[in-house]
PDB file of all heavy atoms in Angstrom:
ATOM      1  N   ILE A  35      -8.086 -24.120 -24.171  1.00 98.00           N
ATOM      2  CA  ILE A  35      -7.351 -23.424 -23.102  1.00 98.00           C
ATOM      3  C   ILE A  35      -5.872 -23.799 -23.177  1.00 98.00           C
ATOM      4  O   ILE A  35      -4.988 -22.946 -22.993  1.00 98.00           O
ATOM      5  CB  ILE A  35      -7.961 -23.767 -21.716  1.00 98.00           C
ATOM      6  CG1 ILE A  35      -9.338 -23.093 -21.569  1.00 98.00           C
ATOM      7  CG2 ILE A  35      -7.038 -23.371 -20.569  1.00 98.00           C
ATOM      8  CD1 ILE A  35      -9.329 -21.564 -21.529  1.00 98.00           C
ATOM      9  N   GLN A  36      -5.549 -25.065 -23.488  1.00 98.00           N
ATOM     10  CA  GLN A  36      -4.141 -25.477 -23.550  1.00 98.00           C
ATOM     11  C   GLN A  36      -3.416 -24.785 -24.705  1.00 98.00           C
ATOM     12  O   GLN A  36      -2.264 -24.385 -24.572  1.00 98.00           O
ATOM     13  CB  GLN A  36      -4.044 -27.005 -23.589  1.00 98.00           C
ATOM     14  CG  GLN A  36      -4.230 -27.537 -22.163  1.00 98.00           C
ATOM     15  CD  GLN A  36      -4.614 -28.994 -22.054  1.00 98.00           C
ATOM     16  OE1 GLN A  36      -4.969 -29.621 -23.054  1.00 98.00           O
ATOM     17  NE2 GLN A  36      -4.557 -29.532 -20.847  1.00 98.00           N
ATOM     18  N   THR A  37      -4.114 -24.596 -25.832  1.00 98.00           N
ATOM     19  CA  THR A  37      -3.516 -23.836 -26.949  1.00 98.00           C
ATOM     20  C   THR A  37      -3.322 -22.376 -26.543  1.00 98.00           C
ATOM     21  O   THR A  37      -2.276 -21.770 -26.835  1.00 98.00           O
ATOM     22  CB  THR A  37      -4.434 -23.924 -28.203  1.00 98.00           C
ATOM     23  OG1 THR A  37      -4.577 -25.294 -28.538  1.00 98.00           O
ATOM     24  CG2 THR A  37      -3.854 -23.160 -29.385  1.00 98.00           C
ATOM     25  N   LEU A  38      -4.319 -21.819 -25.846  1.00 98.00           N
ATOM     26  CA  LEU A  38      -4.192 -20.418 -25.377  1.00 98.00           C
ATOM     27  C   LEU A  38      -2.994 -20.283 -24.429  1.00 98.00           C
ATOM     28  O   LEU A  38      -2.236 -19.305 -24.515  1.00 98.00           O
ATOM     29  CB  LEU A  38      -5.505 -19.992 -24.698  1.00 98.00           C
ATOM     30  CG  LEU A  38      -5.550 -18.581 -24.107  1.00 98.00           C
ATOM     31  CD1 LEU A  38      -5.321 -17.508 -25.181  1.00 98.00           C
ATOM     32  CD2 LEU A  38      -6.890 -18.337 -23.402  1.00 98.00           C
ATOM     33  N   ILE A  39      -2.800 -21.259 -23.534  1.00 98.00           N
ATOM     34  CA  ILE A  39      -1.655 -21.228 -22.598  1.00 98.00           C
ATOM     35  C   ILE A  39      -0.339 -21.212 -23.389  1.00 98.00           C
ATOM     36  O   ILE A  39       0.556 -20.401 -23.114  1.00 98.00           O
ATOM     37  CB  ILE A  39      -1.704 -22.434 -21.632  1.00 98.00           C
ATOM     38  CG1 ILE A  39      -2.865 -22.276 -20.651  1.00 98.00           C
ATOM     39  CG2 ILE A  39      -0.375 -22.621 -20.895  1.00 98.00           C
ATOM     40  CD1 ILE A  39      -3.184 -23.535 -19.840  1.00 98.00           C
ATOM     41  N   THR A  40      -0.220 -22.094 -24.379  1.00 98.00           N
ATOM     42  CA  THR A  40       1.000 -22.166 -25.203  1.00 98.00           C
ATOM     43  C   THR A  40       1.253 -20.814 -25.878  1.00 98.00           C
ATOM     44  O   THR A  40       2.377 -20.297 -25.870  1.00 98.00           O
ATOM     45  CB  THR A  40       0.845 -23.263 -26.280  1.00 98.00           C
ATOM     46  OG1 THR A  40       0.550 -24.483 -25.616  1.00 98.00           O
ATOM     47  CG2 THR A  40       2.105 -23.422 -27.121  1.00 98.00           C
ATOM     48  N   ASP A  41       0.204 -20.233 -26.444  1.00 98.00           N
ATOM     49  CA  ASP A  41       0.347 -18.955 -27.160  1.00 98.00           C
ATOM     50  C   ASP A  41       0.662 -17.806 -26.200  1.00 98.00           C
ATOM     51  O   ASP A  41       1.475 -16.928 -26.520  1.00 98.00           O
ATOM     52  CB  ASP A  41      -0.934 -18.647 -27.953  1.00 98.00           C
ATOM     53  CG  ASP A  41      -1.162 -19.625 -29.096  1.00 98.00           C
ATOM     54  OD1 ASP A  41      -0.218 -20.364 -29.446  1.00 98.00           O
ATOM     55  OD2 ASP A  41      -2.289 -19.659 -29.643  1.00 98.00           O
ATOM     56  N   MET A  42       0.041 -17.829 -25.021  1.00 98.00           N
ATOM     57  CA  MET A  42       0.321 -16.756 -24.047  1.00 98.00           C
ATOM     58  C   MET A  42       1.753 -16.854 -23.531  1.00 98.00           C
ATOM     59  O   MET A  42       2.422 -15.836 -23.339  1.00 98.00           O
ATOM     60  CB  MET A  42      -0.676 -16.817 -22.880  1.00 98.00           C
ATOM     61  CG  MET A  42      -2.050 -16.265 -23.235  1.00 98.00           C
ATOM     62  SD  MET A  42      -3.242 -16.434 -21.884  1.00 98.00           S
ATOM     63  CE  MET A  42      -2.467 -15.487 -20.579  1.00 98.00           C
ATOM     64  N   LEU A  43       2.236 -18.087 -23.305  1.00 98.00           N
ATOM     65  CA  LEU A  43       3.635 -18.234 -22.853  1.00 98.00           C
ATOM     66  C   LEU A  43       4.585 -17.715 -23.918  1.00 98.00           C
ATOM     67  O   LEU A  43       5.533 -16.980 -23.623  1.00 98.00           O
ATOM     68  CB  LEU A  43       3.942 -19.706 -22.531  1.00 98.00           C
ATOM     69  CG  LEU A  43       3.453 -20.216 -21.176  1.00 98.00           C
ATOM     70  CD1 LEU A  43       3.617 -21.723 -21.085  1.00 98.00           C
ATOM     71  CD2 LEU A  43       4.207 -19.531 -20.019  1.00 98.00           C
ATOM     72  N   GLN A  44       4.330 -18.081 -25.175  1.00 98.00           N
ATOM     73  CA  GLN A  44       5.205 -17.615 -26.251  1.00 98.00           C
ATOM     74  C   GLN A  44       5.177 -16.080 -26.336  1.00 98.00           C
ATOM     75  O   GLN A  44       6.222 -15.430 -26.492  1.00 98.00           O
ATOM     76  CB  GLN A  44       4.778 -18.233 -27.588  1.00 98.00           C
ATOM     77  CG  GLN A  44       5.840 -18.073 -28.651  1.00 98.00           C
ATOM     78  CD  GLN A  44       5.350 -18.330 -30.061  1.00 98.00           C
ATOM     79  OE1 GLN A  44       4.167 -18.580 -30.304  1.00 98.00           O
ATOM     80  NE2 GLN A  44       6.265 -18.243 -31.013  1.00 98.00           N
ATOM     81  N   THR A  45       3.990 -15.519 -26.191  1.00 98.00           N
ATOM     82  CA  THR A  45       3.828 -14.056 -26.259  1.00 98.00           C
ATOM     83  C   THR A  45       4.563 -13.381 -25.107  1.00 98.00           C
ATOM     84  O   THR A  45       5.259 -12.372 -25.297  1.00 98.00           O
ATOM     85  CB  THR A  45       2.320 -13.705 -26.246  1.00 98.00           C
ATOM     86  OG1 THR A  45       1.685 -14.382 -27.338  1.00 98.00           O
ATOM     87  CG2 THR A  45       2.079 -12.212 -26.353  1.00 98.00           C
ATOM     88  N   MET A  46       4.441 -13.959 -23.895  1.00 98.00           N
ATOM     89  CA  MET A  46       5.122 -13.398 -22.713  1.00 98.00           C
ATOM     90  C   MET A  46       6.642 -13.471 -22.868  1.00 98.00           C
ATOM     91  O   MET A  46       7.352 -12.486 -22.621  1.00 98.00           O
ATOM     92  CB  MET A  46       4.688 -14.164 -21.461  1.00 98.00           C
ATOM     93  CG  MET A  46       5.381 -13.696 -20.189  1.00 98.00           C
ATOM     94  SD  MET A  46       5.108 -14.828 -18.810  1.00 98.00           S
ATOM     95  CE  MET A  46       6.215 -16.169 -19.244  1.00 98.00           C
ATOM     96  N   TYR A  47       7.159 -14.633 -23.301  1.00 98.00           N
ATOM     97  CA  TYR A  47       8.623 -14.765 -23.461  1.00 98.00           C
ATOM     98  C   TYR A  47       9.122 -13.821 -24.551  1.00 98.00           C
ATOM     99  O   TYR A  47      10.164 -13.177 -24.400  1.00 98.00           O
ATOM    100  CB  TYR A  47       9.008 -16.213 -23.785  1.00 98.00           C
ATOM    101  CG  TYR A  47       8.879 -17.183 -22.622  1.00 98.00           C
ATOM    102  CD1 TYR A  47       8.149 -18.358 -22.743  1.00 98.00           C
ATOM    103  CD2 TYR A  47       9.515 -16.932 -21.408  1.00 98.00           C
ATOM    104  CE1 TYR A  47       8.033 -19.252 -21.679  1.00 98.00           C
ATOM    105  CE2 TYR A  47       9.408 -17.819 -20.340  1.00 98.00           C
ATOM    106  CZ  TYR A  47       8.665 -18.974 -20.478  1.00 98.00           C
ATOM    107  OH  TYR A  47       8.559 -19.847 -19.424  1.00 98.00           O
ATOM    108  N   ASP A  48       8.390 -13.731 -25.649  1.00 98.00           N
ATOM    109  CA  ASP A  48       8.785 -12.854 -26.759  1.00 98.00           C
ATOM    110  C   ASP A  48       8.845 -11.387 -26.307  1.00 98.00           C
ATOM    111  O   ASP A  48       9.727 -10.640 -26.729  1.00 98.00           O
ATOM    112  CB  ASP A  48       7.785 -13.026 -27.911  1.00 98.00           C
ATOM    113  CG  ASP A  48       8.124 -12.135 -29.091  1.00 98.00           C
ATOM    114  OD1 ASP A  48       9.065 -12.491 -29.829  1.00 98.00           O
ATOM    115  OD2 ASP A  48       7.484 -11.080 -29.257  1.00 98.00           O
TER     116      ASP A  48
END
Side-chain angles (χ1 to χ4, degrees):
I35 289 294
Q36 281 161 348
T37 301
L38 178 60
I39 290 168
T40 304
D41 293 346
M42 283 177 60
L43 280 171
Q44 195 195 3
T45 303
M46 178 192 76
Y47 288 127
D48 179 77

